[in-house]
Amino acid sequence: MLIERSAPGKVILCGEHSVVYGEPAIAAPVSTLRAIATIAATETALKRGLRLIAADLEESLYLGEAPATHPLAAIVRQVLNHLGGPPAPNAILTVRSALPIAGGLGSGAAISVAAARALAAYLGHELSPETVSALAYEVERLHHGTPSGIDNTVIAHERPVYFVKGSAPELFTIAAPFTLLIANSGIAASTREAVAGVRRRYEAAPTEYVARFARMGALAQAAREALTQGQWATLGPLLDENHALLQAIGVSLPALDRLVEAARQAGALGAKLTGAGGGGNVIALVTPETAGEVCLALEKAGAHQVWQTTVG
Ligand code: PMV
């Protein structure tokens, strides 16, 4: 028996960081860039339990020897616990991902969701999006300390989401598909460090930061409006303003600003960094007509990879 399950990446369209402070944020799945988990019975005579393989990292270990903080072991333990504690099967669980690691595209949550679904299916269970999101959230906590929960939510549901920390996520429908370019700066970034840096600066100047977060929240609300009505010309400037606010809270980098500027110059309707910042990826809202030109401009401005994806 071989079972395969997958999960998409995600982009935050508006509201990263401010979401940690209770403001709304908007995220959408990136269905073309996925994490994939397969699980199959082991053929070796040595039945040592569940073997975990992270193919991209060329890492292989048995569940029994994995520390509590190992993210793949952690999601497996979450699933087994959720299912009432069955023994881990004698099998090989392999994960791989098209998503850059530490790039703000939800690679960690996508691997957790894919792995949880594959293991549960192998044991005869299908997990609901709510359940798999909650299990993946526990692993996100290992990576990030105090994550808002937006990544696991949008990835588990694979739907655009209007997200307020601590409230039930509001899934919504986008009026018509739109095209995004995702450009990888090639700079790996730690979400934990970016979030901690914002916290320090917020504590030093709370009034200014609260005002910035509130404005980001207002942009997220306006973005939801634009998305549900298909007003791409309105959405673009919202992304631009969100990027300026992310610069103001200190999470952009010259390399990211260059990509954003190049995309706008080449005709993107709007562009911003996405995710925690300090590296990672930028997104550019384009039309099918401008996509080629903007893609070239992003590559010229230093993007390591550019992906085109349709959202909605
Ligand atoms: O995992 P990333 O890089 O997409 O960052 C998540 C977004 C933050 O708002 C920066 C953190 C959070 O927990 O929401």
Side-chain angles (χ1 to χ4, degrees), residues 10 12 16-17 19-20 104 144 146-151 191 195 275-276:
K10 70 97 205 358
I12 297 181
E16 50 275 269
H17 287 292
V19 70
V20 174
H144 305 324
T146 53
S148 64
I150 191 168
D151 280 23
T191 300
V195 170

Side-chain angles (χ1 to χ4, degrees), residues 78-159:
Q78 287 289 333
V79 171
L80 294 175
N81 193 33
H82 172 75
L83 297 178
N90 288 309
I92 301 177
L93 174 66
T94 305
V95 294
R96 65 185 77 244
S97 171
L99 294 151
I101 295 170
L105 300 181
S107 128
I111 284 176
S112 289
V113 168
R117 285 187 178 139
L119 174 61
Y122 190 84
L123 297 172
H125 301 267
E126 291 296 335
L127 301 175
S128 69
E130 290 75 16
T131 299
V132 80
S133 176
L135 299 177
Y137 179 72
E138 294 305 318
V139 182
E140 290 289 284
R141 281 171 41 149
L142 290 177
H143 296 297
H144 305 324
T146 53
S148 64
I150 191 168
D151 280 23
N152 47 285
T153 300
V154 63
I155 286 167
H157 288 273
E158 201 162 350
R159 294 266 314 274

Side-chain angles (χ1 to χ4, degrees), residues 218-290:
L219 293 176
Q221 293 195 7
R224 178 189 182 159
E225 216 37 44
L227 287 163
T228 49
Q229 292 173 14
Q231 296 166 340
W232 312 134
T234 312
L235 182 62
L238 301 175
L239 302 184
D240 289 342
E241 188 180 346
N242 199 161
H243 185 73
L245 287 161
L246 289 163
Q247 286 177 314
I249 65 167
V251 296
S252 193
L253 291 180
L256 298 174
D257 295 341
R258 265 198 300 281
L259 293 175
V260 164
E261 197 47 44
R264 289 180 193 149
Q265 294 287 327
L269 295 168
K272 66 183 275 290
L273 73 82
T274 187
N281 284 263
V282 308
I283 52 173
L285 177 64
V286 295
T287 61
E289 293 73 39
T290 56

Side-chain angles (χ1 to χ4, degrees), residues 3-62:
I3 284 180
E4 180 176 304
R5 291 289 185 274
S6 72
K10 70 97 205 358
V11 285
I12 297 181
L13 294 171
C14 267
E16 50 275 269
H17 287 292
S18 43
V19 70
V20 174
Y21 296 80
E23 295 292 339
I26 301 273
V30 179
S31 295
T32 44
L33 293 177
R34 304 187 76 84
I36 295 172
T38 56
I39 181 165
T42 176
E43 282 170 16
T44 56
L46 216 57
K47 305 282 187 203
R48 288 180 56 192
L50 186 62
R51 188 166 161 211
L52 309 174
I53 299 181
D56 304 317
L57 304 175
E58 296 183 7
E59 189 190 19
S60 166
L61 76 175
Y62 282 93

Side-chain angles (χ1 to χ4, degrees), residues 192-213:
R192 184 189 277 272
E193 279 170 29
V195 170
V198 172
R199 170 75 57 189
R200 277 195 304 276
R201 294 186 287 276
Y202 155 77
E203 281 167 0
T207 314
E208 282 165 32
Y209 271 68
V210 164
R212 287 171 182 150
F213 295 148

